[in-house]
């Protein structure tokens, strides 16, 4: 028996605990927790388009490669590139017999996989003809590749190109000496690799994002959130799949009990104690979110710069799950009680404080933007902000949260314009400025929506302390961004500095590559 860890092969579903459809956050968290089994984890992504291009996790010490789609960050493809580094078992049968490893001298010298006869006769059984890919004419290679596909799983066999005969049946060809043992194996969703490979990254996933929900335990777990739909007027609808009622968070009204009943207990609770923005509270204490007779919007700097949540804190900084039950039960707020419910597995935080008036809304499919949100008892703790995290690869808070996808439901825009979590901020901000074009001029006649605040998440007191704010409001347009995307791809993303751009009821944290790292709705 090999001393290497054994992983069960499940065609169309996964490999061991690696389940197709699982979120990048869940998979990385699980891999990092098993350092002895997965000592090396390499994450590859596109610095210029981190939310469009696939994210790839390489496990070189295990011979496994994982591919995730960019927008939803869900596991789409599992590849085994070296059959000698992990014990692979299918229905109690080893794909490759590995020796009992007692020292480096017994390590296999190659990545030889199962032979065709072993796969066809003993493991998987008969199959329809696959696809032969000849070597490129200018490559100088003598071998092509034959892809033998079954539902949910495929094997790649090197084959001597000079011996290939399209007339002869593939079983005879692959059983001959011209065929080498399998070079790689792929686990995917679909009936065959030829059909699945074209839309592998966009096909809807049947499995949940959470590995905990993928298990067959009978323990009750709240359904995961698929999409946050921002309606305006402090309404955020959390959509949770077909046949599951949408949960609406009404800022200024939704209570902690409502959150626990619909979303389950939070993964952590962070008690807000940072006072680095207190200077803005003093200067603007008399400015409240309100509509004026001219229809212009004014918001406090406290609302615009309050980004303090547990994603920027260490695991021991006031975010104590042991006090969770006490905080959940105590809904009467004194003047200093403010805290976040951290839903890492959902991808967002909810800020709980005394009820306040929500920011002016915009016209959506469910309201015309003029309906005022009911404000509850001022002594009652209610949700006043929700922070939706994008989990952008390479960003400072990467993998602290699952990726949260959102849509801004704006009725005034054209049908072909979509404002969502994948939209570059340059395009999104231009559309939002059209909505508030008559409300964005300040007292000096300048466009306040073009100003921003710079944050630095790296020059803090420690990796777990709160972010630092650099400078004040700066006049900047989207065409005057620091560093072009070409420089980002060449010199690295430089994600330490981010910018905050504010719109009525919305606060965007934007990276240098134009990706939105976090959206705060208040």
């Amino acid at each position: 028996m090999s001393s290497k860890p054994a992983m069960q092969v499940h065609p169309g579903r996964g490999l061991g605990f690696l389940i197709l459809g699982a979120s990048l956050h869940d998979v990385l968290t699980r891999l990092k927790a098993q350092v002895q089994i997965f000592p090396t984890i390499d994450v590859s992504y596109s610095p210029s388009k981190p939310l469009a291009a696939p994210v790839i996790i390489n496990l070189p010490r295990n011979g496994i490669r994982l591919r995730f789609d960019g927008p939803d960050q869900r596991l789409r493809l599992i590849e085994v590139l070296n059959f000698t580094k992990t014990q692979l078992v299918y229905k109690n049968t080893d794909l490759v017999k590995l020796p009992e490893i007692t020292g480096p001298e017994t390590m296999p010298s190659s990545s030889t996989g199962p032979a065709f006869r072993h796969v066809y006769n003993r493991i998987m059984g008969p199959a329809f003809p696959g696809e032969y890919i000849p070597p490129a004419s200018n490559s100088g290679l003598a071998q092509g590749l034959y892809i033998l596909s079954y539902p949910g799983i495929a094997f790649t066999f090197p084959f001597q190109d000079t011996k290939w005969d399209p007339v002869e049946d593939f079983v005879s060809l692959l059983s001959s000496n011209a065929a080498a043992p399998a070079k790689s194996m792929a686990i995917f969703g679909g009936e065959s690799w030829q059909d699945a490979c074209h839309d592998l990254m966009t096909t809807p996933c049947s499995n949940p994002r959470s590995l905990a929900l993928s298990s067959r335990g009978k323990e009750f777990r709240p359904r995961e959130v698929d999409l946050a739909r921002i309606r305006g007027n402090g309404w955020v609808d959390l959509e949770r799949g077909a046949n599951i009622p949408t949960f609406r968070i009404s800022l200024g009204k939704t209570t902690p009990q409502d959150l626990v009943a619909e979303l389950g207990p939070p993964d952590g609770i962070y008690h807000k104690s940072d006072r680095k923005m207190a200077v803005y509270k003093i200067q603007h204490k008399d400015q409240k979110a309100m509509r004026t007779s001219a229809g212009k919007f004014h918001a406090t700097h406290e609302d615009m710069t309050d980004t303090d949540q547990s994603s920027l804190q260490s695991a021991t900084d006031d975010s104590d799950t042991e006090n969770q039950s006490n905080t959940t039960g105590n809904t009467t707020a004194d003047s200093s009680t403010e805290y976040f419910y951290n839903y890492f597995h959902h991808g967002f935080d909810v800020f709980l404080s005394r009820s306040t008036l929500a920011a002016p809304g915009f016209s959506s499919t469910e309201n015309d933007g003029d309906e005022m949100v009911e404000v509850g008892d001022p002594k009652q703790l209610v949700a006043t902000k929700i922070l939706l995290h994008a989990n952008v690869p390479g960003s400072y808070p990467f993998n602290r949260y699952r990726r949260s996808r959102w849509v801004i439901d704006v009725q005034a825009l054209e049908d072909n314009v979509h404002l969502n979590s994948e939209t570059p901020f340059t395009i999104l901000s231009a559309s939002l400025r059209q909505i508030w074009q008559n409300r964005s001029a300040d007292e000096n006649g300048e466009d306040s929506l073009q100003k921003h605040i710079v944050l630095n998440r790296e020059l803090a007191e420690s990796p777990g302390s709160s972010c630092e704010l650099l400078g004040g409001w700066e006049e900047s347009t989207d065409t005057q961004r620091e560093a072009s995307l070409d420089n980002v791809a060449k010199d690295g993303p430089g994600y330490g500095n981010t910018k905050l751009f504010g719109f009525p009821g919305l606060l965007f944290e934007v990276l240098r590559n134009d990706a939105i790292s976090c959206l705060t709705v208040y």
Side-chain angles (χ1 to χ4, degrees):
M1 181 67 180
S2 172
S3 62
K4 290 187 175 296
M7 301 187 75
Q8 296 289 331
V9 176
H10 304 284
R13 177 172 172 80
L15 178 65
F17 69 87
L18 301 171
I19 304 300
L20 293 175
S23 69
L24 175 63
H25 170 260
D26 261 29
V27 172
L28 263 181
T29 301
R30 185 77 173 267
L31 293 174
K32 290 165 65 177
Q34 304 180 57
V35 180
Q36 294 182 345
I37 300 177
F38 304 100
T40 304
I41 304 173
D42 298 331
V43 181
S44 303
Y45 60 92
S46 170
S48 60
K49 298 180 179 180
L51 301 180
V55 180
I56 301 174
I57 294 181
N58 284 295
L59 306 172
R61 298 284 293 274
N62 307 90
I64 297 173
R65 182 167 62 193
L66 310 175
R67 294 181 183 266
F68 300 77
D69 68 88
D72 207 8
Q73 294 185 352
R74 303 184 73 172
L75 181 58
R76 300 290 187 161
L77 178 64
I78 303 172
E79 297 173 280
V80 176
L81 306 179
N82 191 319
F83 290 89
T84 65
K85 294 186 176 182
T86 299
Q87 187 71 33
L88 304 175
V89 181
Y90 177 70
K91 294 185 176 180
N92 299 322
T93 301
D94 294 337
L95 266 66
V96 175
K97 285 288 185 180
L98 299 182
E100 294 186 8
I101 300 176
T102 57
E105 66 279 359
T106 60
M107 290 288 291
S109 59
S110 66
S111 59
T112 301
F116 169 77
R117 291 183 179 181
H118 185 58
V119 172
Y120 196 82
N121 297 329
R122 298 191 57 188
I123 300 179
M124 307 302 301
F128 291 104
E131 178 185 6
Y132 178 69
I133 304 176
S137 58
N138 58 350
S139 65
L141 298 177
Q143 290 182 323
L145 297 175
Y146 188 90
I147 301 176
L148 179 66
S149 181
Y150 296 88
I153 192 170
F155 297 85
T156 301
F157 296 91
F159 192 89
Q160 294 182 22
D161 186 58
T162 57
K163 299 294 183 65
W164 175 254
D165 184 357
V167 179
E168 191 172 353
D169 69 278
F170 75 96
V171 176
S172 301
L173 289 172
L174 293 179
S175 299
S176 67
N177 295 331
K183 179 181 179 181
S184 63
M185 179 183 75
I187 299 176
F188 55 91
E191 290 300 317
S192 69
W193 174 252
Q194 289 77 11
D195 295 335
C197 64
H198 302 292
D199 54 358
L200 191 66
M201 297 292 170
T202 57
T203 302
C205 297
S206 58
N207 298 322
R209 296 175 180 84
S210 172
L211 292 174
L213 292 175
S214 298
S215 62
R216 298 184 180 182
K218 297 182 179 180
E219 178 184 358
F220 170 76
R221 296 180 183 274
R223 288 294 300 270
E224 61 187 9
V225 176
D226 293 329
L227 182 72
R229 190 174 297 276
I230 302 165
R231 302 265 187 201
N233 281 64
W235 293 352
V236 180
D237 290 348
L238 302 182
E239 300 178 0
R240 298 175 287 184
N243 303 322
I244 304 296
T246 297
F247 172 46
R248 170 165 292 175
I249 295 180
S250 299
L251 299 181
K253 186 177 180 180
T254 299
T255 65
Q257 291 87 345
D258 297 331
L259 296 173
V260 173
E262 294 288 342
L263 303 175
D267 301 309
I269 296 177
Y270 170 66
H271 294 267
K272 185 174 182 291
S273 59
D274 193 299
R275 291 294 177 261
K276 295 179 180 178
M277 298 308 299
V279 60
Y280 291 113
K281 296 184 182 181
I282 296 174
Q283 295 176 354
H284 302 275
K285 63 181 179 180
D286 295 329
Q287 297 182 10
K288 301 294 182 182
M290 58 183 295
R291 285 190 176 93
T292 66
S293 58
K296 298 179 180 179
F297 174 77
H298 298 279
T300 65
H301 277 69
E302 175 187 358
D303 288 335
M304 299 299 293
T305 58
D306 187 0
T307 60
D308 185 15
Q309 74 277 354
S310 74
S311 68
L312 306 177
Q313 309 297 321
S314 65
T316 58
D317 283 350
D318 296 330
S319 183
D320 302 324
T321 54
E322 60 187 18
N323 297 326
Q324 181 173 314
S325 59
N326 294 335
T327 309
T328 304
N330 182 16
T331 59
T332 302
D334 59 36
S335 59
S336 62
T337 301
E338 295 178 338
Y339 56 88
F340 290 88
Y341 269 9
N342 308 127
Y343 287 99
F344 303 117
H345 66 286
H346 284 314
F348 55 79
D349 300 313
V350 181
F351 183 57
L352 297 162
S353 64
R354 290 174 297 173
S355 59
T356 58
L357 184 64
F362 46 81
S363 298
S364 70
T365 56
E366 288 202 7
N367 67 68
D368 57 8
D370 295 326
E371 180 177 347
M372 300 302 295
V373 177
E374 180 182 350
V375 178
D377 185 352
K379 296 182 179 180
Q380 175 85 9
L381 284 180
V382 292
T384 54
K385 297 182 181 74
I386 180 170
L387 294 86
L388 305 168
H389 299 277
N391 196 36
V392 180
S395 62
Y396 187 78
F398 175 63
N399 205 49
R400 290 189 174 120
Y401 293 80
R402 193 206 86 192
R403 174 164 172 77
S404 178
R405 304 184 74 182
W406 46 263
V407 171
I408 301 177
D409 186 15
V410 181
Q411 192 175 24
L413 296 178
E414 300 177 0
D415 294 338
N416 59 345
V417 177
H418 302 283
L419 304 184
N420 55 41
S421 49
E422 290 77 58
T423 306
F425 182 73
T426 303
I427 299 175
L428 185 142
S429 61
S431 299
L432 290 181
R433 277 201 293 269
Q434 293 179 6
I435 301 174
W436 286 290
Q437 58 184 346
N438 297 325
R439 306 182 185 182
S440 60
D442 59 18
E443 57 185 10
N444 297 323
E446 299 177 350
D447 189 353
S448 60
L449 299 182
Q450 295 185 15
K451 301 178 180 180
H452 64 259
I453 273 184
V454 178
L455 289 91
N456 188 292
R457 299 201 181 277
E458 294 178 348
L459 298 180
E461 297 173 358
S462 68
S465 63
S466 183
C467 63
E468 295 288 344
L469 294 172
L470 303 180
W473 293 99
E474 302 174 0
E475 297 183 8
S476 172
T477 62
D478 292 331
T479 58
Q480 297 173 331
R481 295 189 176 278
E482 298 177 2
S484 65
L485 292 186
D486 292 338
N487 292 333
V488 169
K490 178 180 178 181
D491 301 327
Y495 289 151
N497 286 357
T498 62
K499 294 181 180 180
L500 291 180
F501 291 86
F503 290 86
L506 304 172
L507 179 62
F508 298 90
E509 181 177 352
V510 184
L511 303 174
R512 288 179 57 186
N513 57 11
D514 214 28
I516 299 173
S517 177
C518 180
L519 169 60
T520 300
V521 184
Y522 64 93

